[in-house]
Amino acid sequence: MSTTEFAHDALLYAGDDGFLEGTMPFVLDGIAAGEPVLVVLRAAKIERIRNEVNGDGDQILFADMDEVGTNPARIIPAWRRFLDEQAAAGRPVRGVGEPISADRKPDELVECQRHESLLNLAFADGPAFRLLCPYDTDALDEDVIAEALRSHPYVIEDGVRRASLRYRGLSAIAE
């Protein structure tokens, strides 16, 4: 993957252990590369990541999705602020964001799914930014996972990154 573009990946994982197995290499690679990382998750998952980095995460910023994403329309502006503050002089940045959870109400879920699609448009011409969006296949309905494959150009499953064959593309999002 080029470090000069926006990469938006859906991480399909199963359960708590799968979450860490999928997110930690991404976060640790960012730390090793000197890239700022913003992690926007619920408090329990933030704590799990903090425990895994064991004080080694000075480049990691954390935000609670229950605060940032209460209104899903506030998520893209949060990513934009992070980029404005951290992507100076073409420096690549990373993010982990999980706006979709099994306990979202149906109308919230629709807005979160819209947000996931709009990210591709919002950052298409922006600075180098890798965004990983975890989806728990144990907790989410199949139709939610299917929508994730339509809104993310790439999918990571069992440690393998591949193009999503169901991705709608920017033209469909812009309509």
Side-chain angles (χ1 to χ4, degrees):
M1 191 217 107
S2 169
T3 58
T4 61
E5 62 188 27
F6 177 55
H8 187 207
D9 298 357
L11 167 68
L12 304 184
Y13 74 92
D16 290 341
D17 290 340
F19 171 78
L20 287 178
E21 289 169 9
T23 58
M24 288 313 300
F26 181 82
V27 170
L28 295 173
D29 287 350
I31 292 170
E35 297 172 358
V37 179
L38 174 59
V39 173
V40 186
L41 303 167
R42 290 187 145 175
K45 287 185 176 174
I46 286 173
E47 195 57 36
R48 294 197 78 198
I49 287 183
R50 279 191 169 129
N51 290 338
E52 290 292 314
V53 296
N54 197 21
D56 211 15
D58 293 342
Q59 295 149 238
I60 303 175
L61 302 170
F62 295 95
D64 190 327
M65 185 59 78
D66 285 337
E67 295 172 19
V68 174
T70 299
N71 176 348
R74 294 189 314 200
I75 300 171
I76 289 175
W79 291 121
R80 177 71 62 206
R81 280 189 303 278
F82 172 65
L83 288 174
D84 289 348
E85 294 167 3
Q86 301 294 328
R91 181 175 165 189
V93 298
R94 292 176 186 236
V96 177
E98 189 173 29
I100 295 180
S101 58
D103 62 345
R104 285 272 194 187
K105 295 175 185 164
D107 57 334
E108 292 175 323
L109 189 57
V110 167
E111 288 305 311
C112 287
Q113 290 170 325
R114 180 174 293 126
H115 150 81
E116 288 282 35
S117 288
L118 289 173
L119 282 164
N120 300 303
L121 205 56
F123 298 109
D125 297 322
F129 176 30
R130 294 188 65 188
L131 180 58
L132 185 69
C133 301
Y135 284 80
D136 188 346
T137 58
D138 280 353
L140 298 169
D141 291 336
E142 283 183 28
D143 59 328
V144 173
I145 301 300
E147 182 60 29
L149 298 176
R150 289 189 290 270
S151 63
H152 292 78
Y154 294 92
V155 62
I156 299 171
E157 193 169 14
D158 298 324
V160 177
R161 183 177 190 254
R162 62 175 169 78
S164 174
L165 300 176
R166 297 185 192 173
Y167 176 59
R168 284 187 195 97
L170 287 178
S171 60
I173 296 164
E175 294 177 354

